[in-house]
Every structure is written in C-alpha cells, then in structure tokens.
Amino acid sequence: MDAPRINGKSPPNPPPPGSLPSSASSWKEALSRAIRDPEELLKTLELAPELLPGALEASRLFPLLAPRDYVSRMEPGNPNDPLLRQVLPLDIEKDEVGGYVLDPLEEADSTPIPGLLQKYEGRALLLAASTCAVHCRYCFRRHFPYEEVPKSQDAWEPALDLISRDTTLHEIILSGGDPLLLPDPAFFRLLEKLDPIPHLRRLRIHSRLPIVLPQRITPELLERLTSLRLTAILVIHSNHARELEGNCADALRRCVEAGIPVLNQAVLLRGVNDEIGPLAELCERCVDLGVIPYYLHQLDPVAGAAHFKVEVDRGRELIEQLRSRLPGYAVPTFVQEVPGAKAKVPL
Ligand SMILES: *Cc1c(COP(=O)(O)O)cnc(C)c1O
Ligand code: SF4
C-alpha cells in the first residue's frame, strides 16, 4: 500500500527517524507519517536488529503499519511489549498450522452484494472502507479480498438499495477495514444516505482509530454523529490498557462526553492479554473512561496468527476470574464466531 499523500504532495517536514512527536495536527498527516518500515520500528524502539529479517519477510505477506501515536505507547527495548506484539511482523507467521485458513469465517459466502455482510437478524454490516490505520497481525481479515469493497460513492448504491428495501434491518454496522478512514465528505454523505431510511434505528461504527489514530475523533465528526436521527454507537477495539492512554484517552472522553455510547471489543491474544492482571486492567481502564467492555473474542483461526492462540478453557478461566474481581458490567462476554451461526456464540 502506498503512503497516503496530502494534496498529491509528500507531507511537510517528516520528523527524523526515531522521534516520536506526541500528537499531530491532523489525522491524515498522522496516518501519512505512520511507521511502515520494519527497520524504522525496530530502531525507534531500540530493539535487536536480529528481528529484522523475519519482520521483513512477514511484512511481504501483510505489510507493517503502525501510527506513531500508537508506537509512542510501547515500551522501548521490550520485544514482548503487548502493543508491539500486535503489529510487529514475525517470521513464525509463515508457518502453516492445521486449521488456520485464509477465510476462517467463510465470509466470502455471506456477501449478497459486494461490501455488505448480512449474517445476523436485524443487522447488516457495511464494509465502508478497505484500509486500516494499523495492521494487526492477528486480523481475521488479513487475507480478505478487499478489491470487492466498493471504492466510490456510486459503488455503495446496490448495498444502500438493499438496505432501504429490507425492512427487517434495524441497525447498520459500518466496518471495514476501518470506516473512519473515509474522509469526512465521503463519510458524511454515507451518513446522509442511511439516516433517512425509516426502518433503521441505530448506526454502529466499528473502529480502531480512536486507539491508533485518536486525532480522527474531531469535533466535526462528533457533531455529525450526535445530530443524526439514528442512535450512533461506537465500538472500539482495544486489547490492552496501555493502548488507552494519552491522546486515546482524551478522544474516548470526548466521545463519551458527546453522549455517544462507546463499547470495547477485545481479542484474547497470547502474550497480550491472556493473564488476569492485564485483562482485568483493560476492563477497569475501559470502565474508568466510560467505555463498556462488550466482547472478548476467541481468536479466529486465520493463517499467520496461530502464535496468538489461547485455549478456550483458559479464556473461560480468565472470565471466571474477572467475574470474581470486577463488577458485572466490567466483564465482557467471551464469544466465538462460528460460520453459519445465527449470532456470535458465547463460550
Ligand atoms: C459481529 C457481527 C455483527 C454484530 O454482532 P453483534 O453481536 O450484534 O455485535 C453483525 N454482522 C456481522 C457480519 C458480524 O460479523
Ligand atoms: S484495525 Fe481491525 S480490520 Fe484492521 S487490521 Fe486491525 S483488526 Fe483487522
């Protein structure tokens, strides 16, 4: 993927390698300055160069992408940092592991028209954007055929047409990729098309941008979301309490203060949140910020992510421990996606 450019020009004054400015004035600029070069990531975090060959090789399958704001929340010198683990390409990703496949959710079969996934009653998921601001190594969509995601406004028409004809739909989920990577004009036009559809009640946005590119949570965006007829709900994706610091915490507070319900979904990941301490801290940190822990997902068996696997029994044990430590509202539901099921399956 090419680095996004602003007005066709390279961004002004790229900072010297290794520096980590704490904020950027605009989210597009912050995205254009994201780290895409494994060598730069290793140098920035003072990590051993021995990690480089594996990182380069794995990044050929699924490129490295990590915004600097996110990288600034990693601990220098720690190759096992739970945030770094989520983005650093590793040579073990190329190992073939039985049961780990390219399309674990068989989504290729639940697409009536390109860009729309309709698996559950009352809800349809619109793949509103084909790119992300971070590449999570465990992502179940790392091999997704994003070429099929509509690229222009006109290309959404078939999906919008189906949505407006299917009166059983009450909620549209904007997902991707990351729907908040749509620039404001395109994003606002999509909202304008969905808002008047009478049978719709809610608009849900699934985004990792509040975590990795918190500059995206602008006053204009919040203003738009809170002035819709539809109830807007934001579902973020954070796997570790340290992700919820600094600019990210500010962005989440702004969403909550604007009156938007914010939920978190996490993925249970080995070496990231598979111990009770970090998992409980993630849930409590969410609650402190006004974010309700929603789901804890069992990892989808996607090729290249087997090293993140945590056994389901271990996940159940962790949930039991959370229950004994935290208020009920701070304990997420542990779920798995099962192809063909009518809903996510509680474990
Ligand atoms: C996860 C998902 C949803 C939403 O499920 P909820 O349980 O309502 O959060 C809807 N559609 C698809 C295709 C999904 O994968
Ligand atoms: S942001 Fe979401 S869709 Fe994008 S790589 Fe990460 S987990 Fe996958």
Side-chain angles (χ1 to χ4, degrees):
M1 189 179 7
D2 289 331
R5 281 154 180 260
I6 300 165
N7 302 329
K9 292 194 292 268
S10 293
N13 305 325
S19 75
L20 285 174
S22 62
S23 71
S25 53
S26 94
W27 64 274
K28 285 185 190 169
E29 190 199 325
L31 180 58
S32 73
R33 293 196 298 98
I35 297 184
R36 293 157 197 272
D37 172 11
E39 188 171 8
E40 187 184 353
L41 181 65
L42 295 179
K43 278 194 176 143
T44 302
L45 292 168
E46 300 157 29
L47 291 168
E50 289 78 75
L51 288 164
L52 187 58
L56 286 171
E57 188 172 341
S59 67
R60 276 194 283 276
L61 292 174
F62 185 44
L64 164 71
L65 179 60
R68 283 167 202 274
D69 205 295
Y70 187 64
V71 174
S72 74
R73 283 170 254 152
M74 298 175 186
E75 185 192 351
N78 179 6
N80 299 317
D81 180 273
L83 277 56
L84 176 71
R85 261 184 84 76
Q86 296 179 56
V87 300
L88 178 66
L90 295 177
D91 55 359
I92 47 176
E93 290 176 21
K94 68 177 188 307
D95 298 351
E96 283 182 27
V97 179
Y100 286 74
V101 297
L102 296 183
D103 178 16
L105 305 184
E106 296 166 22
E107 285 189 334
D109 300 337
S110 46
T111 318
I113 38 178
L116 196 71
L117 291 176
Q118 207 172 344
K119 294 204 291 198
Y120 307 146
E121 200 175 315
R123 290 148 287 172
L125 188 149
L126 191 61
L127 298 169
S130 55
T131 56
C132 295
V134 62
H135 285 171
C136 313
R137 308 312 298 176
Y138 53 84
C139 180
F140 73 96
R141 293 215 170 105
R142 55 182 283 164
H143 311 282
F144 194 76
Y146 275 121
E147 308 78 65
E148 292 171 17
V149 175
K151 289 279 185 312
S152 72
Q153 297 285 308
D154 294 346
W156 280 330
E157 286 305 324
L160 288 166
D161 193 50
L162 190 145
I163 292 167
S164 53
R165 278 184 290 114
D166 184 348
T167 55
T168 67
L169 290 175
H170 293 161
E171 177 165 340
I172 298 302
I173 300 170
L174 301 183
S175 181
D178 201 306
L180 290 182
L181 278 186
L182 288 175
D184 276 353
F187 189 69
F188 294 163
R189 268 201 302 278
L190 182 57
L191 300 185
E192 273 160 27
K193 299 239 174 184
L194 291 168
D195 205 38
I197 300 177
H199 47 271
L200 296 182
R201 302 165 69 150
R202 295 174 300 277
L203 177 82
R204 200 198 305 182
I205 298 166
H206 279 214
S207 176
R208 200 149 152 69
L209 261 60
I211 311 299
V212 299
L213 207 67
Q215 299 86 348
R216 179 66 181 103
I217 306 303
T218 59
E220 299 74 44
L221 178 68
L222 293 178
E223 210 277 317
R224 235 13 123 91
L225 291 176
T226 51
S227 56
L228 294 174
R229 176 189 66 87
L230 298 171
T231 299
I233 299 167
L234 179 63
V235 180
I236 59 166
H237 173 180
S238 174
N239 301 314
H240 194 277
R242 195 153 19 89
E243 294 179 336
L244 303 168
E245 299 291 339
N247 289 342
C248 168
D250 295 341
L252 293 173
R253 280 199 195 93
R254 287 200 299 278
C255 295
V256 171
E257 276 161 20
I260 298 171
V262 186
L263 310 174
N264 182 51
Q265 53 178 359
V267 181
L268 182 58
L269 298 168
R270 196 204 297 172
V272 176
N273 55 20
D274 62 335
E275 296 291 336
I276 187 61
L279 190 61
E281 183 54 30
L282 168 65
C283 297
E284 283 212 272
R285 178 82 187 131
C286 280
V287 170
D288 289 348
L289 291 167
V291 175
I292 300 299
Y294 179 38
Y295 280 146
L296 178 66
H297 286 269
Q298 176 66 9
L299 179 75
D300 297 311
V302 64
H307 57 292
F308 284 113
K309 162 119 196 220
V310 179
E311 294 300 332
V312 170
D313 280 346
R314 171 70 181 146
R316 291 194 180 110
E317 196 180 295
L318 287 165
I319 292 286
E320 274 315 299
Q321 288 175 286
L322 286 180
R323 269 193 206 299
S324 65
R325 282 191 183 203
L326 300 180
Y329 58 78
V331 181
T333 307
F334 185 35
V335 292
Q336 179 161 35
E337 264 198 72
V338 176
K342 294 241 172 284
K344 302 203 198 295
V345 177
L347 290 168

